[in-house]
Amino acid sequence: MKIPLWIEASRLRVLVFGGGSVGTRRAKFFASAGASVRVLTREATPELKEAGVEIKLVDLYQYDPAGDVEWADLVVIAVNDPALAERLFKIAEAAGKLVNDATDASRTHVVVPYERAVSGLRVAVTSEGAAGAPARLSLDIIESCLKKSWIPAFYEVYRELKKEAKDAIGDVKTRLKFYQTLSEDAEFLDHIKNGRIQEALARGRRIMGNLLSAGRQLRP
């Protein structure tokens, strides 16, 4: 079972087998997020050369990639030959590496989803290789629904109140109680859902003040 995670890419060393269109997209994706990327390919396209990644021109049918695999945290397989892909997968798996296999979704360890930033949120969607186009296009639907909803207003107000709470409430349990109360308070949510941003902020600050007052009264 695969689980969704957000990983700090700047801590990753990514080895990409193949410099074609898929390999180039993967290399650019990880490099743009700050990862160290090395591509092993027979030929490098101009787009790949401009991607700011390390390129090793090798014949993967003859070259021993064991040292490169050992260097990597994540291995991407993006070659056209199924037999070559199978061999490279076995090498990476035997070395205990996580593999993003663009040639066979059924055995990939790491899925690269379609993702987008929407109103302060980051949304990722994947079909795990079953139907890429519907997964990609679903982001348009998700973005449209979110932008028409009250979630962007909730995000704006909640983010500001959370920032204020971190400065005002030293006790972690009290802060967590404040966050929970915000998401359950009917008056606060009514302001949010009707676009009354300033009223929602005022209500949130009253809730915060009440929690702080109650905490001071409980102190011996």
Side-chain angles (χ1 to χ4, degrees):
M1 177 181 175
K2 298 178 179 67
I3 58 175
L5 298 171
W6 290 108
I7 297 173
E8 177 50 59
S10 65
R11 299 179 63 87
L12 294 177
R13 291 179 295 189
V14 181
L15 176 66
V16 181
F17 287 119
S21 59
V22 175
T24 297
R25 286 200 302 272
R26 289 286 194 271
K28 291 175 65 177
F29 174 76
F30 284 107
S32 68
S36 297
V37 179
R38 179 183 298 173
V39 181
L40 271 58
T41 181
R42 181 178 295 175
E43 298 178 358
T45 64
E47 185 180 5
L48 184 60
K49 291 177 181 178
E50 295 172 0
V53 302
E54 178 186 354
I55 300 172
K56 293 178 71 172
L57 299 178
V58 299
D59 182 349
L60 289 171
Y61 290 97
Q62 304 294 328
Y63 179 75
D64 180 3
D68 302 284
V69 170
E70 184 60 33
W71 167 84
D73 300 305
L74 171 65
V75 175
V76 175
I77 298 176
V79 296
N80 291 326
D81 185 342
L84 177 59
E86 174 77 15
R87 181 173 71 84
L88 295 172
F89 178 85
K90 288 181 177 179
I91 292 172
E93 188 174 50
K97 303 298 180 177
L98 290 171
V99 179
N100 168 239
D101 192 340
T103 71
D104 189 343
S106 66
R107 68 185 178 192
T108 193
H109 304 142
V110 176
V111 173
V112 178
Y114 299 100
E115 64 101 10
R116 187 178 300 176
V118 183
S119 300
L121 305 174
R122 289 183 65 189
V123 180
V125 179
T126 180
S127 67
E128 296 189 83
R136 174 173 53 81
L137 293 175
S138 71
L139 285 175
D140 295 335
I141 306 300
I142 294 170
E143 180 174 10
S144 177
C145 289
L146 280 174
K147 286 184 173 180
K148 292 176 182 177
S149 76
W150 48 270
I151 291 298
F154 188 25
Y155 174 88
E156 178 184 343
V157 173
Y158 190 94
R159 181 182 62 176
E160 176 59 30
L161 291 172
K162 184 174 181 179
K163 179 181 177 182
E164 293 178 14
K166 285 185 175 181
D167 292 335
I169 307 174
D171 180 66
V172 175
K173 290 184 178 179
T174 304
R175 275 208 309 273
L176 293 176
K177 183 177 181 180
F178 171 63
Y179 301 151
Q180 181 178 355
T181 303
L182 278 182
S183 61
E184 296 175 350
D185 185 77
E187 181 180 340
F188 174 77
L189 291 175
D190 184 65
H191 289 317
I192 289 292
K193 292 177 182 180
N194 287 282
R196 298 190 294 266
I197 301 299
Q198 294 307 313
E199 290 87 344
L201 284 167
R203 174 60 180 170
R205 287 162 183 155
R206 284 198 299 275
I207 293 171
M208 189 189 313
N210 291 338
L211 286 173
L212 288 169
S213 295
R216 284 192 291 269
Q217 291 173 8
L218 290 174
R219 290 175 187 172

